[in-house]
Amino acid sequence: MKRRNFLKKASVSGLGLVAVSSTLVSCDDKKVVRPVKTAELEVVKPLVIATWKTDLAVETAAAVLEKGGTALDAVEQGCRIEEANEKGQSVGKGGLPDRDGNVTLDACIMDDKGNYGAVLGVKNIKHVISVAKKVMEETPHVMLVGDGAESFAVSKGFKRENLLTEAAKKAWEKWKIKSEYKPIINIENHDTIGMLAIDKKGNISGACTTSGLAYKLPGRVGDSPIIGGGLFVDNEVGGASATGLGEEVLKTVGSFLIVELMRQGKSPQKACEEAIGRIVNKPGKDFKNFQVGYIAVNKKGETGAYSIHEWFSYNVYKNKENKNIKSDFYNKPKA
Ligand code: ASP
């Protein structure tokens, strides 16, 4: 279909149209490629996608969007649900501690204007996603770390509290017996939440929050709070987020890579698959004992997800339905 006809069709087909700038199109008449200032695309919105089985978090974010709230507020509110859920062992209160028994949290957030805020290695503050948002909105900086981040949070009215639950303490004490001081990365049960949302205006934001690897070395920071690693959003293209072994995500700048692949025309699904490929296809890479999972959404509201191993799932809210979906994965028995 010629592009002009496609655009015409899209603009009469109803549901959610949004203006996208700087799309490169080929102009049939003049045989040149030129940027089109405003093209209209059919968009599925509002929409939320998040890592793992995060029904309540996604429902909470969706409720913000259905009331006309921004994607930014939606991802913040959604992530706060998991931060407060003490049963989740890799995010917020209840998260497993570092090898010295300290729970330290990492989080970041990006809005539709390309703004970013993050906090790294924060103790005693549960809702680090909201602290990251304050860094983005109320400071001239993008990242605060450790004690500085904690003091900043307290200065903004956040309460200090003990994040190490009895259950997490018991698990840590058990681990210490045979620990060999190796951090643990499992491949089945993460609950780090990465969340992306498109609001009714078609704008995209994202957020990511975690307690990181269980029993990590004190001071270790993974991908989750790092722009382009655990999260990246470009409102003209889409967004991506990661979970799993942060070191591997960082070495391939996974979320940025996915957004750039989508910019070049790949679907969110294909972009996630290629990003996993960049990890597993490194020469000699032994990926048997770690997991990485990606989620992505593009400007049209098409979604994708892919992981190294089975057991990764994600939630999608669209057309007023919230579903947990099993992700496709790389490590299948060869036929
Ligand atoms: N990506 C997180 C990290 O490496 C961990 C996770 O997803 O569970 O800190």
Side-chain angles (χ1 to χ4, degrees):
M1 193 191 311
K2 288 216 164 120
R3 182 170 176 91
R4 231 176 285 141
N5 290 341
F6 167 75
L7 291 178
K8 233 191 195 164
K9 277 212 163 164
S11 63
V12 291
S13 65
L15 293 172
L17 296 171
V18 71
V20 177
S21 59
S22 314
T23 309
L24 282 176
V25 297
S26 108
C27 172
D28 296 330
D29 304 335
K30 296 189 180 139
K31 301 257 184 272
V32 291
V33 174
R34 62 176 173 78
V36 166
K37 282 258 163 58
T38 51
E40 289 192 325
L41 298 173
E42 192 174 339
V43 182
V44 180
K45 58 181 183 163
L47 181 145
V48 184
I49 180 168
T51 54
W52 304 106
K53 188 162 168 50
T54 39
D55 303 274
L56 185 59
V58 168
E59 202 180 303
T60 303
V64 172
L65 298 175
E66 291 294 358
K67 279 188 219 132
T70 63
L72 183 66
D73 287 339
V75 293
E76 180 197 14
Q77 294 308 317
C79 284
R80 284 173 66 98
I81 296 292
E82 288 303 322
E83 289 175 340
N85 173 13
E86 294 186 17
K87 288 195 183 125
Q89 292 202 311
S90 52
V91 58
K93 187 159 182 167
L96 292 169
D98 65 17
R99 72 180 203 180
D100 292 349
N102 292 309
V103 179
T104 60
L105 305 182
D106 306 324
C108 78
I109 197 157
M110 277 193 86
D111 72 9
D112 55 289
K113 294 168 193 74
N115 294 312
Y116 159 76
V119 289
L120 289 67
V122 184
K123 291 181 193 152
N124 305 315
I125 306 287
K126 180 167 63 191
H127 287 305
V128 278
I129 199 63
S130 300
V131 185
K133 186 162 175 271
K134 290 248 182 265
V135 172
M136 179 174 84
E137 291 174 341
E138 297 178 25
T139 80
H141 309 305
V142 293
M143 271 188 198
L144 293 180
V145 54
D147 293 346
E150 185 179 334
S151 308
F152 170 75
V154 171
S155 78
K156 294 291 171 188
F158 291 79
K159 282 205 191 88
R160 285 194 170 96
E161 64 185 286
N162 178 18
L163 302 177
L164 185 65
T165 57
E166 273 311 306
K169 193 172 169 208
K170 268 197 193 138
W172 169 63
E173 275 161 357
K174 199 168 157 205
W175 168 83
K176 274 201 295 184
I177 301 168
K178 280 202 191 171
S179 65
E180 295 163 352
Y181 286 112
K182 279 191 196 136
I184 286 182
I185 182 77
N186 64 47
I187 55 178
E188 295 170 41
N189 304 309
H190 296 250
D191 27 46
T192 290
I193 182 165
M195 183 181 274
L196 305 157
I198 306 181
D199 61 29
K200 285 187 174 173
K201 288 189 175 153
N203 288 324
I204 308 173
S205 293
C208 190
T209 180
T210 190
S211 56
L213 286 192
Y215 321 128
K216 60 196 173 186
L217 285 172
R220 181 265 185 191
V221 172
D223 60 313
S224 305
I226 307 296
I227 189 168
L231 178 73
F232 196 71
V233 172
D234 182 326
N235 196 42
E236 291 203 347
V237 178
S241 190
T243 181
L245 186 59
E247 282 74 1
E248 296 298 332
V249 174
L250 283 172
K251 284 186 270 183
T252 47
V253 203
S255 293
F256 182 71
L257 172 64
I258 290 170
V259 172
E260 289 309 301
L261 290 168
M262 292 193 294
R263 190 192 308 279
Q264 290 163 24
K266 283 217 159 44
S267 67
Q269 184 59 36
K270 289 277 172 244
C272 289
E273 288 171 21
E274 182 161 342
I276 289 293
R278 297 280 175 101
I279 298 172
V280 297
N281 293 326
K282 279 187 183 152
K285 176 61 85 185
D286 181 5
F287 54 82
K288 300 276 179 309
N289 295 319
F290 67 84
Q291 172 71 303
V292 171
Y294 287 116
I295 55 167
V297 66
N298 67 11
K299 191 68 182 166
K300 286 194 275 182
E302 294 167 333
T303 56
Y306 203 62
S307 57
I308 300 178
H309 302 284
E310 213 179 341
W311 307 296
F312 176 49
S313 74
Y314 59 104
N315 267 64
V316 175
Y317 174 89
K318 64 177 181 192
N319 303 324
K320 301 202 187 298
E321 262 193 301
N322 181 12
K323 284 190 193 149
N324 182 256
I325 301 166
K326 202 170 167 341
S327 171
D328 193 9
F329 58 98
Y330 174 80
N331 190 23
K332 296 184 185 115
K334 303 275 173 280

